[in-house]
Amino acid sequence: MKTQEEIINRIRQLKQEKNAVILAHYYTRPEVQDVADYLGDSLGLSQEAGKTSADVIVFCGVHFMAETASIISPQKKVLIPVPDAGCSLAEGVCGKDLAEWKQQNPDGLVVSYVNTTAEVKAYTDYCCTSSNALKVVRNLPVGKKVLFGPDRNLGQYIRWTTGRDMEVWNACCCVHQPIDAEMVLHALEQYPEADVLIHPEASCSHDERVLNHPRTFMYSTAGILKHAKESPKKQFVIATELGTLHQLRKDNPEKEFIPIHSDLICTEMKKITLENLLEALEKEQYEVHVPQEIRERAIVPIQRMVNL
Ligand code: 13P
Ligand code: SF4
């Protein structure tokens, strides 16, 4: 059995030998985050996948993220250490669902969250992440109906904020859904000095009591990190997946971060370990393949998003 230090050293060595880069999402385990070359939220990771000069991308995240990287960089070998690391939200809509929805609304523009399969992206007009969803929707021609999916909480937040004519698909993230308005209002009362930083996949995302409160802020993961760094406040309640706390505490050792609930863990992201990351590099497994016909269609909405 190798020690953690030996595993990390071997990962670094193989990375150099194979000209590989490790991309990791903030929800992965702390030790995986620490060995990554680039740590980011969904948007940052997509951008990095397009920019890297590495030959191999090892994607520490869930399957749709690795698939997106492969769509963006088809000439690179994209590996995911655990091929069945899935996402409850991405599973909430399939290509056939979306094709039917489009057929029922021929004038609508489909905006899909990046948390979707390549097949769904192939039926999408614009992709977005939680970082840029508002920007994407605000850039669409005025008066055009928007079909937004699959996350109902992010969709309703965007509808509330932009006032757009939007139909919203009814799926959600099982990790963020339990963050409701009562939980947030209780935290505001319990910590009267703290800002409460909330991911828009939370079910309180369109509750006016939350949105109109001066100490609540709705952000993507990168937005939460930015706010915590730039704010003069010393205490924050964090209403998102708990993996985010690792970087928040590293960036701001003098500040206090309180998770709004102790159960907000994406078990799929946590499937990635240092051991299976090393195995992925050693055996060059598991390679993500997107069929050419799907890739050619799926790249269009991703490119529109990245260009914004
Ligand atoms: P962001 O990375 O866009 O903040 O989204 C969070 C998420 O749930 C990713 O799966
Ligand atoms: Fe999917 Fe939710 Fe996990 Fe993100 S946190 S990967 S949306 S299940």
Side-chain angles (χ1 to χ4, degrees):
M1 266 265 283
K2 287 190 175 77
T3 64
Q4 192 177 91
E5 201 188 333
E6 284 167 345
I7 297 176
I8 293 170
N9 287 340
R10 183 74 185 130
I11 289 174
R12 295 209 169 113
Q13 192 187 2
L14 282 172
K15 240 178 33 176
Q16 271 207 329
E17 277 173 34
K18 301 192 179 209
N19 188 26
V21 70
I22 299 175
L23 307 186
H25 192 274
Y26 290 114
Y27 296 173
T28 54
R29 293 166 184 268
E31 62 276 19
V32 171
Q33 295 187 33
D34 288 343
V35 85
D37 298 292
Y38 181 85
L39 184 62
D41 68 355
S42 304
L43 178 63
L45 290 166
S46 307
Q47 289 167 331
E48 198 58 29
K51 277 196 297 211
T52 180
S53 60
D55 297 316
V56 179
I57 297 175
V58 188
F59 210 107
C60 299
V62 290
H63 195 265
F64 77 82
M65 295 181 170
E67 210 177 45
T68 307
S70 167
I71 295 168
I72 294 173
S73 286
Q75 71 289 3
K76 299 197 194 309
K77 189 178 253 189
V78 178
L79 306 175
I80 182 165
V82 180
D84 70 349
C87 166
S88 65
L89 185 53
E91 280 151 25
V93 64
C94 66
K96 189 170 155 278
D97 292 336
L98 211 60
E100 280 171 16
W101 203 23
K102 265 183 105 153
Q103 227 168 28
Q104 289 156 13
N105 297 277
D107 295 334
L109 281 175
V110 176
V111 179
S112 290
Y113 200 26
V114 77
N115 298 41
T116 46
T117 60
E119 204 198 355
V120 166
K121 289 184 178 82
Y123 288 102
T124 294
D125 295 304
Y126 288 82
C127 268
C128 73
T129 74
S130 54
S131 279
N132 62 15
L134 271 174
K135 195 170 176 180
V136 169
V137 171
R138 282 187 173 131
N139 266 281
L140 299 178
V142 185
K144 268 273 187 200
K145 182 174 184 173
V146 179
L147 307 177
F148 188 96
D151 189 68
R152 62 171 178 251
N153 297 320
L154 178 64
Q156 289 181 77
Y157 170 65
I158 309 265
R159 181 162 56 198
W160 186 87
T161 311
T162 61
R164 291 281 308 224
D165 176 18
M166 271 171 75
E167 261 193 46
V168 175
W169 193 260
N170 188 13
C172 67
C173 158
C174 58
V175 180
H176 290 91
Q177 174 65 23
I179 307 171
D180 60 15
E182 274 59 44
M183 198 185 273
V184 173
L185 296 174
H186 179 71
L188 285 163
E189 209 176 287
Q190 205 180 354
Y191 301 103
E193 296 303 319
D195 281 352
V196 181
L197 310 183
I198 309 164
H199 197 283
E201 286 172 19
S203 59
C204 63
S205 69
H206 46 284
D207 188 301
E208 303 230 339
R209 292 169 298 167
V210 170
L211 291 164
N212 292 331
H213 196 285
R215 285 190 290 117
T216 59
F217 299 87
M218 202 65 72
Y219 293 124
S220 71
T221 315
I224 289 175
L225 282 148
K226 186 167 182 281
H227 179 106
K229 217 178 208 174
E230 292 175 357
S231 164
K233 292 241 177 157
K234 291 281 175 239
Q235 193 184 53
F236 303 86
V237 174
I238 303 303
T240 189
E241 209 277 345
L242 300 188
T244 313
L245 291 167
H246 181 59
Q247 193 60 34
L248 280 166
R249 288 178 177 147
K250 262 173 99 172
D251 283 351
N252 310 279
E254 74 297 353
K255 297 184 181 178
E256 187 189 3
F257 298 97
I258 302 152
I260 198 161
H261 198 284
S262 58
D263 282 351
L264 306 175
I265 295 171
C266 179
T267 49
E268 297 299 306
M269 291 276 192
K270 305 297 187 266
K271 284 181 175 173
I272 315 289
T273 62
L274 285 179
E275 285 79 4
N276 57 42
L277 167 54
L278 173 57
E279 215 181 338
L281 271 165
E282 273 171 343
K283 299 183 181 163
E284 300 196 15
Q285 68 185 22
Y286 293 89
E287 192 170 353
V288 177
H289 290 287
V290 179
Q292 178 69 4
E293 184 262 335
I294 301 272
R295 195 200 86 81
E296 278 172 12
R297 289 161 54 205
I299 187 71
V300 177
I302 297 175
Q303 213 62 67
R304 285 181 184 148
M305 168 185 86
V306 172
N307 290 346
L308 271 177

